[in-house]
């Protein structure tokens, strides 16, 4: 048993050495945010990354938590093409849950493990600038596209990394809620995957990790593909091997790769210590996406 543990540590050594001083952006979401054991594991993993010399930056989701609070308040959740229809009342709940309950819960758990986490909203320090998002939906090529207004939903126009760099340089771990502001000061609810990707780009992150509830990209035989490049991804989308909810995550990963991020990873957060297993073992447990 001791020899096996030693082998694991030795296997991790070259990765720890190569990653030392690297900025790592993690999109934290899915089942890993609601299962108590996985939440504790994630807090330990993030703390460990900081202690061994990496600079982790976390962007979190919180859709189920928002819906739960809305139900308790008697507000109905409505979705348009997979996006939450966000009126003023819903935006109040989004900001309260993401910037308050969820964000501070993650901060507390990391701090309990000995880390120094600081919670941020995209509104802090003009961190995330956004504009209103309109969804273009085309049922088929013979019909003109439908323009859908999802309300106070935004898309990122600019990330100001100054506050993140200040915190990481002083030994803190930034935990970011995906809320941004428009030019007139309006508040926008923004997809956490895309916020994380844009933050990774602004920081020129060495790694961008999308934590999901699936193992990663699967091949035609249903087996996990441990590494895939952009050319292969295009072919897999055309053939339908990559489809459904994986497409927007892949698009987010590709956008990051095209804009200064070295590598991206898609991992299953339902596996304990998935982050460490993906980064510090030869085989990994998810899909690495490269140019």
């Amino acid at each position: 048993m001791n020899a096996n543990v030693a082998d694991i540590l030795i296997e991790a050594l070259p990765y720890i050495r190569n990653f030392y001083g690297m900025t790592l952006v993690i999109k934290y979401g899915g089942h890993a945010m609601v299962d108590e054991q996985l939440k504790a594991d994630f807090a330990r993993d993030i703390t460990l990354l900081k202690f061994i010399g990496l600079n982790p930056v976390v962007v979190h989701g919180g859709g189920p938590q928002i819906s739960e609070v809305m139900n308790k308040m008697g507000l109905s959740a409505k979705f348009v093409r997979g996006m939450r229809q966000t009126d003023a009342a819903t935006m109040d709940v989004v900001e309260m849950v993401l910037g308050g309950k969820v964000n501070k819960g993650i901060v507390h758990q990391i701090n309990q493990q000995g880390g120094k986490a600081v919670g941020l909203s995209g509104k802090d320090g003009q961190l995330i600038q956004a504009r209103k998002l309109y969804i273009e939906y085309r049922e088929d090529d013979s019909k003109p596209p439908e323009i859908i207004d999802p309300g106070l939903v935004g898309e990122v126009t600019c990330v100001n990394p100054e506050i993140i760099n200040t915190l990481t340089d002083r030994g803190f771990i930034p935990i970011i809620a995906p809320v941004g502001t428009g030019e007139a000061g309006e508040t926008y609810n923004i997809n956490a995957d895309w916020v994380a990707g844009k933050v990774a780009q602004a920081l020129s992150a060495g790694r961008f990790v999308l934590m999901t509830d699936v193992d990663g990209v699967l091949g035609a035989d249903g087996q996990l593909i441990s590494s895939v490049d952009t050319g292969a991804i295009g072919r897999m989308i055309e053939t339908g091997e990559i489809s459904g909810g994986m497409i927007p995550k892949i698009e987010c990963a590709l956008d990051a790769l095209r804009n200064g991020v070295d590598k991206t990873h898609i991992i299953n957060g339902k596996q304990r210590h998935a982050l460490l297993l993906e980064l510090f073992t030869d085989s990994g447990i998810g899909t690495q996406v490269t140019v």
Side-chain angles (χ1 to χ4, degrees):
M1 177 66 73
N2 289 337
N4 290 337
V5 172
D7 288 342
I8 293 170
L9 293 173
I10 293 301
E11 182 179 334
L13 177 59
Y15 296 102
I16 295 173
R17 183 173 61 241
N18 291 338
F19 291 159
Y20 187 84
M22 179 184 290
T23 295
L24 170 74
V25 176
I26 305 105
K27 182 325 185 79
Y28 178 41
H31 194 71
M33 284 187 66
V34 295
D35 180 277
E36 292 302 323
Q37 181 64 66
L38 294 175
K39 286 163 64 176
D41 289 343
F42 180 79
R44 293 189 191 100
D45 294 352
I46 292 296
T47 303
L48 175 62
L49 291 176
K50 190 67 177 180
F51 281 153
I52 62 175
L54 283 78
N55 291 313
V57 177
V58 178
V59 178
H60 64 81
Q65 294 91 331
I66 293 169
S67 294
E68 180 182 357
V69 172
M70 288 183 67
N71 287 336
K72 289 179 179 178
M73 296 176 65
L75 299 172
S76 59
K78 299 177 182 178
F79 292 86
V80 181
R81 309 303 303 168
M83 292 192 177
R84 187 181 300 274
Q85 183 80 36
T86 307
D87 57 14
T90 301
M91 189 67 240
D92 286 344
V93 176
V94 168
E95 195 165 11
M96 175 180 68
V97 174
L98 292 183
K101 179 181 179 181
V102 174
N103 187 277
K104 302 314 175 189
I106 299 167
V107 167
H108 176 66
Q109 286 206 300
I110 292 174
N111 290 345
Q112 278 192 313
Q113 300 302 324
K116 296 195 300 180
V118 175
L120 296 171
S121 162
K123 297 169 72 173
D124 294 325
Q126 297 183 325
L127 175 57
I128 300 171
Q129 299 296 300
R131 65 184 171 216
K132 183 175 174 60
L133 174 69
Y134 291 95
I135 304 168
E136 183 175 306
Y137 172 65
R138 187 187 297 271
E139 188 173 348
D140 58 60
D141 292 337
S142 65
K143 298 179 181 179
E146 178 185 0
I147 305 300
I148 301 171
D149 181 356
L152 293 171
V153 176
E155 57 182 341
V156 178
T157 57
C158 180
V159 174
N160 176 10
E162 181 180 3
I163 189 171
I164 298 175
N165 291 329
T166 298
L167 289 169
T168 55
D169 288 347
R170 296 183 179 182
F172 292 97
I173 303 168
I175 312 297
I176 303 170
V179 174
T181 54
E183 289 186 356
E186 62 272 52
T187 302
Y188 287 118
N189 178 20
I190 312 175
N191 179 277
D193 289 355
W194 283 96
V195 169
K198 295 299 184 182
V199 168
Q201 293 170 37
L203 296 173
S204 298
R207 295 291 186 274
F208 169 38
V209 181
L210 282 159
M211 188 172 283
T212 71
D213 284 343
V214 296
D215 290 336
V217 177
L218 306 181
D221 58 359
Q223 298 300 306
L224 177 69
I225 299 175
S226 61
S227 184
V228 64
D229 60 30
T230 54
I233 285 171
R235 293 190 294 272
M236 293 177 73
I237 291 176
E238 288 179 4
T239 61
E241 290 176 71
I242 296 176
S243 60
M246 182 56 68
I247 289 180
K249 294 191 181 297
I250 283 290
E251 289 175 342
C252 182
L254 294 180
D255 184 62
L257 288 172
R258 296 186 188 109
N259 291 280
V261 176
D262 290 342
K263 292 182 181 179
T264 65
H265 302 258
I266 299 173
I267 64 173
N268 190 343
K270 292 190 289 186
Q271 182 165 341
R272 294 190 65 186
H273 304 295
L275 193 56
L276 301 184
L277 291 170
E278 175 66 10
L279 294 175
F280 298 134
T281 64
D282 294 337
S283 58
I285 53 95
T287 299
Q288 174 181 270
V289 186
T290 60
V291 176

